[in-house]
């Protein structure tokens, strides 16, 4: 079950570089470009239909986010997944996600609140059906809405690379995870934020991050 476009506000028109970034992110997160794989511009252009200039801008952003690395004599490659380091990433993400949820609960409009809950409900439906692509689509929509509602660009800019790495981690080790539990955690966050309950939103974020950390510890063990 995909997000119904009628339930969401129309997104602003994206720049070509933003579209390129989203497509490149999808290739990396879904493991279509595997860790350690070389970045070959001609192949990506052929696969995605992107232009060379927006692709190069997207590659620069991915490099700054740590998803792509410049290797001696190898050029650009997709960064490796380091399970042990993922726990440190989640500790940092927890702090940022709490801040974003708190600000969103204070400022979110009724319309955005409805859209946020709708995305979380779509996540739960997709989780029960085990349709990971639709789950991640709804998850991304959830993130866009709460980040927009929080009105804190610096926190959003800091958390986005961590979220992208978390999504890739899930794709890599999804068989060890409980998709429904993760969706339920998101739904608790959405309902608390939509109601403007700051303390409850913080508690719900901690519940979500506790689950993600427990999932990561299974992989690290």
């Amino acid at each position: 079950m995909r997000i119904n476009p009628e339930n969401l506000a129309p997104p602003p028109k994206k720049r070509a570089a933003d579209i390129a970034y989203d497509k490149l992110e999808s290739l990396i997160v879904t493991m279509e470009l595997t860790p350690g794989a070389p970045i070959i511009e001609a192949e990506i252009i052929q696969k995605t239909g992107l232009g060379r200039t927006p692709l190069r801008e997207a590659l620069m952003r991915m490099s700054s986010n740590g998803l792509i690395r410049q290797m001696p004599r190898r050029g650009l490659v997709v960064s490796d997944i380091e399970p042990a380091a993922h726990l440190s990433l989640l500790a940092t993400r927890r702090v940022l996600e709490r801040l974003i949820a708190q600000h969103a609960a204070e400022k979110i409009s009724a319309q955005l609140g409805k859209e946020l809950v709708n995305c979380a409900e779509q996540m739960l439906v997709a989780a029960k059906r085990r349709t990971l692509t639709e789950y991640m689509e709804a998850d991304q929509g959830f993130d866009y809405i709460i980040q927009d509602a929080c009105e804190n660009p610096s926190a959003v800019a800091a958390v986005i690379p961590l979220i992208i790495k978390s999504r890739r981690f899930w794709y890599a080790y999804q068989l060890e995870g409980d998709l429904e539990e993760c969706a339920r955690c998101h739904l608790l966050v959405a309902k608390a934020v939509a109601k403007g309950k700051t303390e409850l939103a913080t508690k719900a974020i901690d519940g979500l991050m506790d689950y993600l950390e427990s999932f990561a510890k299974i992989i690290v063990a």
Side-chain angles (χ1 to χ4, degrees), residues 1-3 121-139 170-171 174 179-180 183:
M1 184 174 182
R2 296 183 179 276
I3 300 172
E121 289 174 342
Q122 298 285 0
M123 290 174 70
L124 187 56
V125 170
K128 290 179 178 179
R129 295 180 176 179
R130 301 301 298 177
T131 51
L132 187 59
T133 299
E134 293 177 11
Y135 177 94
M136 290 297 183
E137 179 182 290
D139 181 38
W170 189 281
Y171 262 94
Q174 58 186 276
L179 210 58
E180 288 188 42

Side-chain angles (χ1 to χ4, degrees), residues 84-194:
H86 194 69
L87 290 170
S88 296
L89 178 153
L90 290 175
T92 304
R93 182 181 167 188
R94 180 190 291 266
V95 176
L96 293 167
E97 293 282 17
R98 292 182 79 189
L99 181 63
I100 288 169
Q102 289 165 3
H103 286 192
E106 293 169 357
K107 302 176 181 181
I108 197 165
S109 66
Q111 180 59 34
L112 280 182
K114 290 179 182 178
E115 292 174 8
L116 186 65
V117 172
N118 181 60
C119 281
E121 289 174 342
Q122 298 285 0
M123 290 174 70
L124 187 56
V125 170
K128 290 179 178 179
R129 295 180 176 179
R130 301 301 298 177
T131 51
L132 187 59
T133 299
E134 293 177 11
Y135 177 94
M136 290 297 183
E137 179 182 290
D139 181 38
Q140 191 173 52
F142 178 99
D143 289 336
Y144 286 158
I145 293 167
I146 197 169
Q147 289 164 10
D148 183 42
C150 83
E151 299 179 11
N152 189 328
S154 59
V156 171
V159 82
I160 284 176
L162 309 183
I163 290 175
I164 295 171
K165 290 176 182 177
S166 293
R167 285 202 184 102
R168 184 170 69 145
F169 188 87
W170 189 281
Y171 262 94
Y173 301 106
Q174 58 186 276
L175 295 179
E176 302 292 340
D178 185 338
L179 210 58
E180 288 188 42
E181 178 61 23
C182 195
R184 282 190 287 269
C185 289
H186 279 82
L187 186 56
L188 290 175
V189 173
K191 289 181 176 179
V193 170

Side-chain angles (χ1 to χ4, degrees), residues 31-50:
M31 311 289 286
E32 193 167 343
L33 287 175
T34 58
I39 299 295
I40 302 173
E41 287 187 7
E43 291 184 1
I44 295 176
I45 289 171
Q46 184 178 21
K47 183 188 296 285
T48 63
L50 296 171

